[in-house]
Amino acid sequence: MQSQKSNKMWGGRFEDGSDMLMQAINASIGFDQKMAEQDIAGSQVHAEMLRAQGILTAQDEEAIQSGLRQILEELRAGKFEFQVELEDIHMNVEARLKDLIGEPAGRLHTARSRNDQVANDFRLWVRDHYDLSIDAITALMRTLLDQAKQGVDWVMPGFTHLQTAQPVTWGHHMMAYVEMLGRDLSRMKDGRERMNECALGAAALAGTSFPIDRERTAKALGFDAPCANSLDAVSDRDFALDFLNAASICAMHLSRLSEEIVIWSSAQFRFVKLSDRFSTGSSIMPQKKNPDAAELIRAKIGRIMGANVALMTVMKGLALTYSKDMQEDKEQVFDAAESLLLSLAAMTGMMADLKALPENLQAAAGSGFSTATDIADWLVREKGMAFRDAHHVTGAIVALAERQGKELHQLDIKDMQALCPDINDNIYSVLSVENSVASRTSYGGTAPVQVRAQIARWEEKLKE
């Protein structure tokens, strides 16, 4: 394959153009054009700072700002023509600026490098997607709070090992996911705060000899401060890894909820009914209503967690500072962020439409001897029995019910007294799932009074 000469902006050092294969592997404009608006925002602030410091004339700055505004309009109108031979978004914007305003365009790159420019663009992009993710997680939490309020006292089976364990409430189950997403929200906010430092001014790696004002640039772009070490500023991608880690854990939580929706909506469970808007049919089986939205959300964790592993692998062996390997940092982050936002939006819509079926939940709540622990607790509380002894007696009662093919509340008192003479009719008071649930009044328990308190706590927190 023949090499191709082109007028590269770094071409003073090179006599020949790049081989076409080199151009193909080197160009990033196919994906980093997503950072176009962030790139222009950084350039606008950089130009303003250069003028304020006397490095640019007011006339040159005015020309640069005018050209950048026109480029932004072209980008938003879809009229900007990206050129692969110009490699990346920075050189595409700069080349277009030169077409528009001529010589002053070349002065914009004073006191900066593509190294600090791309690091800063990427920081701005990730920060924007932290904000979008925070909003999307909050919206889903509010939807789950609505579900919890609706079913605060609907009894349902709680599971361990996907086997019936103890009765809980629908509201309590929904609030478990509110707690998970609350931690996701905290991680997103924490990551955003930690990464909010400006890389511009680090230049290639060592800073610059020009009298720039990095604090001014940082403040204008909404950063808390400039990065304190120029080497770290251009080579750090922790902010992207932090985001991917938070996104991976959030996607894992969405996957767990998706799995429950798949199970609950099956004919064998019939705990919930999905809306048509978030279901699909079968091309051959007319009776089918498939929970495809939940299944697709469940699968997104593979892409998002894969992005986390991919970027960690890219970064793990890189000496300071910038290496071209780091061009492979963006596609995974872009894809992961978009996958997470889509998943959160789809889950919010699906949960808003989802209808729990209280009758079916209640019918299942008492199955599988779910109130057995309440018998043991009653023996301890009312008869002063050691818990291990009470556990043994309860196990014998469960075995009796299993042999007779009955639920616990259907057993005859005389049959239970044959196993434990201390048992009296009062034991039936703890065998109903409603009483079992109502008795779990410890902080964080499933009693409706506790669930209402947690709903109120989260509603207040989300107002903040």
Side-chain angles (χ1 to χ4, degrees):
M1 186 172 290
Q2 298 296 315
S3 66
Q4 174 176 298
K5 289 189 176 182
S6 60
N7 184 20
K8 299 285 186 182
M9 292 193 176
W10 41 263
R13 169 66 176 82
F14 293 80
E15 295 181 1
D16 292 328
S18 297
D19 187 274
M20 291 295 289
L21 283 174
M22 180 60 195
Q23 186 179 106
I25 197 172
N26 191 49
S28 59
I29 190 59
F31 52 85
D32 71 11
Q33 60 185 262
K34 289 180 182 291
M35 303 189 302
E37 294 208 14
Q38 288 82 8
D39 190 73
I40 289 174
S43 291
Q44 288 172 326
V45 167
H46 183 68
E48 190 276 333
M49 181 275 297
L50 291 177
R51 192 267 312 152
Q53 294 299 106
I55 301 169
L56 268 185
T57 66
Q59 184 178 1
D60 281 347
E61 194 229 345
E62 183 180 350
I64 288 169
Q65 299 289 8
S66 176
L68 289 172
R69 286 192 296 270
Q70 182 172 336
I71 293 170
L72 186 58
E73 290 174 5
E74 292 174 359
L75 284 162
R76 290 175 174 173
K79 296 179 179 179
F80 189 92
E81 294 185 10
F82 297 102
Q83 300 180 56
V84 174
E85 61 270 18
L86 292 175
E87 293 187 11
D88 56 32
I89 186 58
H90 325 299
M91 294 178 74
N92 269 265
V93 169
E94 190 170 332
R96 177 59 179 150
L97 186 63
K98 186 176 181 181
D99 290 343
L100 291 172
I101 68 170
E103 183 185 10
R107 298 194 177 98
L108 175 60
H109 209 54
T110 305
R112 76 175 183 184
S113 161
R114 282 193 298 172
N115 291 358
D116 63 340
Q117 193 177 355
V118 68
N120 209 64
D121 289 358
F122 199 20
R123 280 176 181 268
L124 289 169
W125 193 95
V126 170
R127 191 179 69 182
D128 288 345
H129 283 75
Y130 266 124
D131 291 340
L132 291 170
S133 299
I134 287 166
D135 289 345
I137 291 169
T138 302
L140 177 54
M141 291 175 73
R142 289 197 171 108
T143 299
L144 291 171
L145 284 170
D146 289 341
Q147 282 282 357
K149 285 188 285 188
Q150 185 179 12
V152 71
D153 53 5
W154 295 346
V155 292
M156 65 176 291
F159 299 93
T160 62
H161 310 279
L162 205 55
Q163 306 294 313
T164 300
Q166 292 176 290
V168 296
T169 63
W170 175 261
H172 194 50
H173 204 114
M174 292 296 100
M175 290 305 294
Y177 284 101
V178 171
E179 291 290 334
M180 293 183 206
L181 290 163
R183 293 192 294 274
D184 294 326
L185 194 63
S186 176
R187 273 183 286 270
M188 290 288 181
K189 290 180 177 180
D190 179 60
R192 189 200 190 283
E193 180 179 359
R194 185 166 43 252
M195 62 84 64
N196 201 35
E197 295 180 345
C198 183
L200 281 178
L205 75 161
T208 178
S209 60
F210 289 94
I212 62 173
D213 185 346
R214 294 194 65 205
E215 286 75 14
R216 182 189 187 107
T217 302
K219 183 178 180 181
L221 288 170
F223 289 108
D224 296 327
C227 298
N229 183 284
S230 61
L231 299 173
D232 182 53
V234 300
S235 63
D236 169 47
R237 294 299 182 270
D238 289 1
F239 62 90
L241 288 166
D242 272 349
F243 176 79
L244 290 176
N245 181 61
S248 296
I249 297 173
C250 184
M252 178 268 291
H253 290 150
L254 297 179
S255 181
R256 294 183 73 179
L257 179 54
S258 295
E259 172 69 1
E260 299 215 280
I261 291 170
V262 170
I263 293 169
W264 291 344
S265 62
S266 68
Q268 289 71 28
F269 273 72
R270 294 185 298 117
F271 283 4
V272 301
K273 181 179 180 181
L274 294 176
S275 72
D276 292 347
R277 295 198 314 141
F278 291 94
S279 306
T280 64
S282 166
S283 63
I284 189 173
M285 295 171 283
Q287 83 281 9
K288 294 295 292 298
K289 187 175 183 179
N290 299 324
D292 281 9
E295 292 171 1
L296 289 166
I297 294 170
R298 185 175 60 186
K300 291 293 186 184
I301 178 65
R303 294 174 70 158
I304 296 170
M305 187 178 292
N308 196 8
V309 173
L311 182 54
M312 187 75 76
T313 304
V314 167
M315 297 300 299
K316 73 175 183 63
L318 299 186
L320 294 179
T321 55
Y322 182 82
S323 296
K324 195 68 171 181
D325 311 48
M326 292 165 69
Q327 184 167 289
E328 293 296 315
D329 59 356
K330 296 172 196 66
E331 285 182 281
Q332 294 94 337
V333 178
F334 294 162
D335 182 75
E338 289 163 5
S339 293
L340 180 65
L341 289 173
L342 177 59
S343 297
L344 285 164
M347 183 62 80
T348 301
M350 184 165 51
M351 291 305 298
D353 285 2
L354 182 139
K355 303 295 183 186
L357 304 175
E359 299 84 1
N360 294 347
L361 292 172
Q362 182 161 9
S367 65
F369 315 115
S370 67
T371 57
T373 305
D374 295 276
I375 296 176
D377 289 347
W378 183 86
L379 290 169
V380 171
R381 186 173 57 251
E382 301 295 329
K383 301 302 176 182
M385 192 177 293
F387 183 80
R388 283 300 165 203
D389 294 335
H391 185 282
H392 178 79
V393 170
T394 303
I397 292 173
V398 169
L400 172 67
E402 196 167 38
R403 287 195 301 272
Q404 293 185 359
K406 297 178 179 180
E407 296 296 336
L408 292 175
H409 67 277
Q410 296 172 328
L411 288 173
D412 189 275
I413 187 66
K414 293 180 180 179
D415 289 336
M416 288 191 279
Q417 288 173 335
L419 297 171
C420 179
D422 289 338
I423 291 175
N424 57 44
D425 286 342
N426 289 337
I427 199 169
Y428 288 108
S429 67
V430 301
L431 294 181
S432 77
V433 290
E434 290 81 8
N435 286 348
S436 174
V437 162
S439 73
R440 308 293 172 183
T441 56
S442 59
Y443 180 81
T446 193
V449 64
Q450 281 294 329
V451 176
R452 288 189 180 94
Q454 295 301 330
I455 291 171
R457 180 176 71 90
W458 272 109
E459 286 186 324
E460 190 63 30
K461 287 183 71 171
L462 291 182
K463 286 179 184 177
E464 300 170 6

